[in-house]
């Protein structure tokens, strides 16, 4: 069943939002498996900060949609305890910034348990959270912290950029026996896209080609995908054919898809919303230079946020993170320089 | 009224934990065990008294001073010793060592290298029990040191608002590494924190195995009948420093002498003679057989293979 239903199979698709796609994934998995339950702040009656869990309390009741006090570290740890003793919790932390309060439980407990038990016990826990720059939420509600999780062996990371990916990846995450950090983007919740009526799963470690092209490979995820796609349209009008690669999961990373594309286009740009220093893009760049250096016609370029907290001021917020023009400019430079 | 059989079981566990710790301290000093080793000597009555009230389907989470809990839950000495020696036959295949022993087969969800780290995990096991409508109970072993960590307060609150079947056992040995409890809190009676969260709480003499057992039994019964959580503070004292390399010079000699006069292993031995009617000869026979088992465990561990790099890579491949 994995990924058998094509996103392009419009016969079976309707258009829904990213938010509704996640809601459907939760609902379907909760109906399918009674050990799945939700734990998080304001997720019941209110449906969470972004209304992703709306309606689930009504269908599944307060034992499976559990509102928590503001106690991120302990409710995540409680999720872990439930996970290792037979349940499948989906823990929601409303903003990725707040997961900093949970780091002991994620890094020292959740990510280590399989290892501590000599590879015999699993932690089927999903931590859903949301990040990225939004509309003036300022520096403690706007971070892109995937690199924190990426650095920790034992955590899988999903980064869906479309409603189709969000639903298929979340269903896989919930069925996965390993802990998954499921990163959503606050600006994508209202994004619409085709999602099949029938069930499908997207396997981890299988990236998607969001736009095929032959001149430059641009790798991006989450909310950088729509931005890269519109930059690609602009480049197309000027005769540059961009291939847009979305890894969909950062761990595991679809190296084969990335390297195949690099070998085809010989030019690579990696676009991340997170700050430049110590980011996932740097690691992907290092993988490419290590494994496909001979294929490159130009150095790998990274387009990323400045090494700065996110300003509240709107104009400054825009200057900090990659915009469409930053992406097209990088494309022109890489083509020109080679 | 305790049967001789029960008291023999209790004393067997007390003596086994003491023997295990003393022998492993010896192995540590010989360089056979590396890393940190935090002995449970002087605190044995808590693990033994509490775990005697648990059944097969109950869970525990443990601390960085976790060997006693592991043994009291029925762990195999061979596999424990092998783990401390970093061998493949150990509970964590030699990947975890002293601070990380977990034995799922006995419901021991694990020791923890992070003080307070296991508190929400044990409570999570209790949440699972509650959501599934089972009769089980979870015991969270933690320490006075952990109670000043935010996770303690957060977790107690969650256990309370969800009425979870969890017994939180605070092993108050009066020290967080070298910091005495009087220096880290104005309320050294930890059990007094429970009522602020709406949790029934009490203090017990942590060196008296039967007192611990009786109170724990009652608390566990309350949890099973849906009247949990319960907080139990067991007052005790380490018989040495924080770990093997810490001589514990900061511990007052008179206080140490007082607690050594209440050595939980000797208390258990006395109970077995006085209440169980065991003779000195019978007890010596028991002790000899435990010593022999420990000798066998050391031999087993020494002769066990280590995990290979390739085997390690197979485990972490999915990471």
């Amino acid at each position: 069943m994995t990924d058998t239903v094509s996103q392009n199979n419009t016969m079976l698709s309707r258009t829904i939002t990213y938010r509704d796609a996640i809601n459907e994934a939760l609902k379907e998995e909760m109906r399918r498996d009674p050990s799945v339950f939700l734990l998080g702040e304001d997720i019941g009656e209110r449906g969470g900060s972004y209304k992703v869990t709306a309606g689930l309390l009504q269908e599944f009741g307060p034992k499976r949609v559990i509102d928590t006090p503001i106690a991120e570290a302990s409710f995540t740890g409680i999720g872990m305890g439930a996970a290792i003793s037979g349940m499948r919790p989906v823990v929601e932390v409303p903003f990725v910034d707040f997961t900093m309060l949970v780091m002991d439980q994620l890094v020292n407990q959740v990510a280590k348990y399989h290892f501590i038990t000599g590879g015999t016990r699993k932690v089927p826990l999903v931590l859903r959270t949301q990040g990225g720059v939004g509309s003036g939420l300022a520096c403690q509600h706007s971070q892109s912290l995937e690199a924190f999780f990426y650095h920790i062996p034992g955590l899988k990371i999903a980064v869906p950029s479309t409603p189709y990916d969000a639903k298929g990846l979340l269903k896989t995450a919930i069925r996965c026996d390993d802990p998954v950090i499921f990163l959503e983007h606050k600006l994508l919740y209202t994004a619409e896209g085709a999602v099949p009526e029938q069930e499908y799963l997207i396997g981890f470690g299988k990236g998607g080609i969001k736009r095929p092209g032959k001149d430059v490979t641009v790798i991006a995820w989450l909310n950088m995908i729509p931005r890269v796609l519109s930059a690609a349209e602009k480049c197309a009008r000027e005769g540059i054919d961009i291939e847009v690669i979305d890894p969909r999961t950062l761990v595991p990373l679809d190296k084969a898809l990335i390297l195949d594309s690099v070998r085809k286009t010989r030019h690579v740009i990696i676009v991340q919303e997170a700050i430049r220093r110590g980011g996932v893009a740097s690691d992907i760049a290092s993988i490419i230079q290590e494994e496909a250096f001979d294929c490159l016609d130009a150095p790998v370029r990274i387009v990323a946020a400045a090494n700065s907290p996110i300003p509240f001021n709107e104009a400054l917020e825009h200057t900090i993170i990659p915009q469409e023009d930053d992406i097209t400019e990088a494309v022109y430079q890489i083509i020109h320089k080679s | 009224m305790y049967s001789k059989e029960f008291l023999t079981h209790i004393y067997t566990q007390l003596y086994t934990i003491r023997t295990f710790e003393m022998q492993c301290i010896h192995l540590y000093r010989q360089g056979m065990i590396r890393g940190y080793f935090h002995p449970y000597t002087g605190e044995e009555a808590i693990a033994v008294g509490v775990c005697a009230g648990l059944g097969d389907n109950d869970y525990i989470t443990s601390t960085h001073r976790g060997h006693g809990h592991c043994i009291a839950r029925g762990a195999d000495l061979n596999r424990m010793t092998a783990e401390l020696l970093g061998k493949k036959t150990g509970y964590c295949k030699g990947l975890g060592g002293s601070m990380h022993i977990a034995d799922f087969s006995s419901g021991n969800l694990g020791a923890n290298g992070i003080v307070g780290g296991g508190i929400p995990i044990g409570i999570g096991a209790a949440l699972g029990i509650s959501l599934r409508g089972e009769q089980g109970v979870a015991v969270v072993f933690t320490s006075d040191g952990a109670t000043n960590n935010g996770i303690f307060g957060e977790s107690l609150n969650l256990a309370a608002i969800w009425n979870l079947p969890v017994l939180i056992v605070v092993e108050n040995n009066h020290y967080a590494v070298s910091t005495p409890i009087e220096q880290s809190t104005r309320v050294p009676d930890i059990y007094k924190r429970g009522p602020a969260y709406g949790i029934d709480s009490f203090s017990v003499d942590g060196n008296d195995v039967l007192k611990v057992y009786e109170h724990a039994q009652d608390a566990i019964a309350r949890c099973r009948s849906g009247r949990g959580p319960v907080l139990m503070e067991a007052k005790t004292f380490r018989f040495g420093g924080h770990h093997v390399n810490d001589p514990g010079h900061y511990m007052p000699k008179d206080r140490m002498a007082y607690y050594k006069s209440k050595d939980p292993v000797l208390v258990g031995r006395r109970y077995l003679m006085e209440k169980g009617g065991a003779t000195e000869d019978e007890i010596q026979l028991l002790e000899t057989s435990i010593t022999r088992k420990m000798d066998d465990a050391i031999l087993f561990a020494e002769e066990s293979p280590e995990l290979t790099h390739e085997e390690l890579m197979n485990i972490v491949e999915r990471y």
Side-chain angles (χ1 to χ4, degrees), chain B residues 1-287:
Chain B
M1 283 298 109
Y2 291 101
S3 70
K4 184 175 180 181
E5 190 191 357
F6 177 79
L7 293 167
T8 303
H9 167 73
I10 292 287
Y11 183 62
T12 301
Q13 291 208 323
L14 289 169
Y15 195 82
T16 302
I17 297 171
R18 178 66 56 89
T19 305
F20 180 85
E21 297 292 60
M22 298 314 288
Q23 294 275 40
C24 287
I25 289 169
H26 183 62
L27 292 173
Y28 186 91
R29 292 199 166 124
Q30 287 181 309
M32 305 272 292
I33 295 175
R34 55 205 298 272
Y36 280 127
F37 183 97
H38 307 89
Y40 196 57
T41 47
E43 307 185 22
E44 295 90 341
I46 306 170
V48 173
V50 171
C51 290
L54 294 178
D56 288 346
N57 298 321
D58 299 325
Y59 293 108
I60 69 160
T61 58
S62 173
T63 68
H64 61 286
R65 200 176 297 288
H67 311 147
H69 310 122
C70 202
I71 293 171
R73 255 329 247 161
D76 176 66
L77 287 186
N78 288 10
R79 293 192 67 190
M80 280 195 67
T81 313
E83 185 56 38
L84 266 62
L85 265 64
K87 298 299 183 73
K88 181 179 169 176
T89 50
Y91 273 111
C92 316
K93 299 186 181 164
L95 302 175
S98 166
M99 285 191 283
H100 301 290
I101 287 183
D103 170 20
F104 210 87
S105 65
S106 67
N108 179 357
L109 300 180
N112 216 300
I114 309 294
V115 172
I119 302 174
I121 298 170
I123 293 173
L127 176 64
I129 290 167
S130 166
L131 294 178
R132 293 188 297 269
E134 295 169 355
Q135 285 297 301
V137 63
V139 173
V140 169
F141 287 101
T142 188
S143 59
D144 53 298
T147 62
N148 294 319
N149 190 311
I151 199 91
F152 176 77
E154 278 189 25
S155 300
L156 253 62
N157 186 47
L158 293 179
I161 59 171
W162 296 333
N163 304 315
L164 297 181
V166 58
L167 170 61
I168 297 139
V169 178
V170 176
E171 301 182 331
N172 184 353
N173 66 20
H174 296 84
Y175 286 95
V177 189
S178 67
T179 304
I181 189 162
E182 295 79 11
Q183 196 176 314
S184 51
T185 172
R186 267 175 97 163
V187 187
D189 291 320
I190 305 294
Y191 78 96
K192 289 180 181 166
R193 299 190 192 184
Y197 293 101
I199 294 177
D200 287 341
S201 306
F202 59 90
S203 182
V204 64
D205 177 354
N207 279 37
D208 186 323
V209 69
L210 290 184
K211 284 203 177 111
V212 171
Y213 172 70
E214 284 158 11
H215 281 83
Q217 273 282 79
D218 177 56
I220 290 164
R222 270 197 263 176
C223 289
R224 287 199 207 284
S225 66
R227 287 177 293 141
V230 180
L231 170 65
M232 170 172 133
E233 177 190 13
K235 301 228 196 231
T236 185
F237 210 69
R238 292 185 323 227
F239 276 8
H242 177 57
H243 52 62
V244 179
N245 293 333
D246 171 15
H249 291 320
Y250 47 83
M251 303 170 84
K253 287 197 172 58
D254 54 339
R255 209 158 178 192
M256 180 71 86
Y258 168 73
Y259 276 100
K260 283 209 167 168
S261 76
K262 294 171 35 136
D263 182 331
V265 178
L266 296 183
V267 172
R269 198 179 201 274
R270 204 166 58 235
Y271 278 143
L272 179 53
M273 289 182 97
E274 289 171 5
K275 293 180 189 281
T279 65
E280 180 66 31
D281 281 356
E282 281 174 324
I283 292 178
Q284 276 185 16
L285 213 59
L286 180 66
E287 290 170 349

Side-chain angles (χ1 to χ4, degrees), chain A residues 37 39 63 66-69 71-75 77-78 80-82 84-87 104-105 108-109 113-122 153-154 156 178 251, chain B residues 59 91-93 95-96 100 102 104 108-110 112 114 116-118 120-125 127-128 130-132 151 154-155 157-158 161-162 312 315-316 318-319:
Chain A
F37 73 101
L39 202 57
K63 282 198 143 191
I66 305 175
D67 264 336
T68 64
E72 291 86 357
S74 52
F75 71 66
I78 284 174
M80 154 142 180
I84 61 178
S85 60
M87 306 297 285
D104 169 54
Q105 288 297 321
N108 294 322
Q109 314 297 339
Y113 199 69
H114 175 258
F115 186 82
I116 279 173
T117 57
T120 59
R121 304 297 306 183
K122 312 289 171 54
K156 290 185 162 49
D178 300 316
V251 180
Chain B
Y59 293 108
Y91 273 111
C92 316
K93 299 186 181 164
L95 302 175
H100 301 290
F104 210 87
N108 179 357
L109 300 180
N112 216 300
I114 309 294
I121 298 170
I123 293 173
L127 176 64
S130 166
L131 294 178
R132 293 188 297 269
I151 199 91
E154 278 189 25
S155 300
N157 186 47
L158 293 179
I161 59 171
W162 296 333
L312 169 63
I315 290 171
V316 303
R318 56 207 283 157
Y319 301 167

Side-chain angles (χ1 to χ4, degrees), chain A residues 182-202:
Chain A
F182 197 86
L183 284 175
E184 298 158 17
H185 194 289
K186 52 175 71 66
L187 290 188
L188 287 173
Y189 285 123
T190 53
E192 295 188 337
V195 174
E197 301 267 10
Q198 71 193 77
E199 178 169 84
Y200 66 97
L201 300 173
I202 299 173

Side-chain angles (χ1 to χ4, degrees), chain A residues 115-138:
Chain A
F115 186 82
I116 279 173
T117 57
T120 59
R121 304 297 306 183
K122 312 289 171 54
V123 187
L125 175 142
V126 179
L127 184 126
R128 280 187 49 242
T129 188
Q130 161 276 117
V133 173
S135 36
L137 297 182

